[in-house]
Amino acid sequence: MERRRLIKVPASSANLGPGFDAFAVALALFIELEVTETGSFAIETDLGITRDRSNLVVAGFERLHPADDFSFRISSEIPLSGGLGSSAAAYLAGLIAADHLFELDADLLALAGELDGHPDNVAAALNGGFVVTTGGEVTRFDPPDGLEAVLVVPHEAVATREARAALPDQVPLADAVFNVAHGALLMLGLARGDFELISRGLDDRLHQTYRGPLYPRSDDLIARAEEFGALGATLSGAGPTVLVWTTLETTGGVVEALTAEVADWAEVSRVRFETDGADVSEL
Ligand code: HSE
């Protein structure tokens, strides 16, 4: 009988303002992969992605086992325009499929981190919830009750490579101190479910400052988030997507205000913080 696995991996938003390369959260938008041992290699998908061995899902799979005898059916709700961890989710989906099929018990965090280069996205997608990553270690916790989010996804993509190239090698000490203080406020706010602290903790000077000129409309929205009724907003990963932070009471109004504001250049949607990480089942 053909062996088959179904893998579901969530999107993620990294950095969360002050936590450059260290903080991230999983979001309830998923890539789904069905892998079947058919005896020949094939990729089935409606997405605008490559259909050969360079496909990220297949590259993840082949990191652990050749893909010659497998067919890969890939669907995804994760926008590809940048900032929502779509590549981390894709690599993980392939790795998890091979790991489960061949009972390898591989170090998925390390392998996906190596392939994708963004361990923050990988940690959130693998574990779900909010994560803090320090090298190889991940600390995870659940989102506080009543905290919600809205995504502003620009139509125009920006490559993460380009957004990393915009960063300096060194930053002023005062900016590093600013981020330590704001990162601590944000974590304390999330742990206590204190929305005022969360709002105060969303500022950043380590990456958003430098990346802003690459996507001035996202940058402007982040600066003005409170005008729309939000707690604040952060550049999602390397952008250009913006994660807008809201509460149960304010999300509806924020969606309405933002939809009117960005109608000609971006999509606005509510998104749930996802508590569960990547999942695999045998079909
Ligand atoms: N922390 C990474 C960055 C995330 O900001 O470049 C990339 O998704």
Side-chain angles (χ1 to χ4, degrees):
M1 210 173 85
E2 288 180 332
R3 290 190 288 176
R4 257 163 107 195
R5 295 292 183 278
L6 181 66
I7 295 95
K8 209 174 149 186
V9 186
S12 51
S13 181
N15 303 327
L16 311 180
F20 177 66
D21 276 358
F23 301 169
V25 67
L27 302 172
L29 291 168
F30 299 91
I31 182 169
E32 269 194 18
L33 166 67
E34 195 180 318
V35 179
T36 310
E37 192 172 25
T38 54
S40 60
F41 174 75
I43 296 180
E44 281 173 55
T45 184
D46 292 333
L47 304 169
I49 55 177
T50 56
R51 284 150 205 233
D52 55 25
R53 303 296 173 108
S54 68
N55 179 287
L56 304 189
V57 168
V58 176
F61 190 95
E62 292 214 298
R63 179 66 183 75
L64 293 174
H65 196 277
D68 305 84
D69 293 336
F70 292 87
S71 104
F72 297 79
R73 181 179 298 169
I74 306 166
S75 60
S76 178
E77 306 166 331
I78 310 177
L80 297 175
S81 55
L84 291 169
S86 59
S87 57
Y91 282 124
L92 265 176
L95 281 162
I96 291 169
D99 186 62
H100 203 263
L101 278 163
F102 299 100
E103 298 175 7
L104 301 173
D105 202 16
D107 185 345
L108 300 171
L109 180 71
L111 291 173
E114 252 170 61
L115 288 167
D116 185 53
H118 303 296
D120 42 2
N121 287 110
V122 170
L126 195 57
N127 296 285
F130 280 88
V131 293
V132 178
T133 56
T134 50
E137 287 183 4
V138 178
T139 303
R140 177 210 173 278
F141 57 96
D142 280 334
D145 287 344
L147 184 68
E148 297 195 346
V150 174
L151 289 177
V152 176
V153 183
H155 302 143
E156 229 171 274
V158 174
T160 300
R161 200 176 50 257
E162 202 184 319
R164 280 199 91 86
L167 303 178
D169 290 334
Q170 298 193 333
V171 295
L173 187 60
D175 289 353
V177 171
F178 179 95
N179 270 54
V180 170
H182 285 78
L185 283 179
L186 176 58
M187 285 298 132
L188 203 55
L190 289 169
R192 287 187 185 164
D194 181 330
F195 298 147
E196 205 242 314
L197 277 187
I198 293 172
S199 175
R200 284 171 51 205
L202 293 174
D203 280 350
D204 162 72
R205 286 192 191 160
L206 292 188
H207 75 113
Q208 294 182 180
T209 322
Y210 303 101
R211 288 170 161 170
L214 292 176
Y215 14 70
R217 291 182 293 201
S218 297
D219 197 40
D220 174 61
L221 209 63
I222 292 169
R224 294 169 50 216
E226 290 177 47
E227 274 177 39
F228 302 100
L231 294 174
T234 50
L235 191 64
S236 189
T241 296
V242 177
L243 182 71
V244 182
W245 299 61
T246 59
T247 64
L248 190 59
E249 291 77 24
T250 59
T251 308
V254 172
V255 168
E256 213 170 294
L258 285 173
T259 305
E261 179 71 20
V262 307
D264 55 339
W265 60 275
E267 293 294 326
V268 177
S269 57
R270 287 176 98 116
V271 67
R272 261 192 320 105
F273 291 122
E274 177 56 55
T275 50
D276 292 333
D279 178 64
V280 51
S281 52
E282 202 168 324
L283 296 177

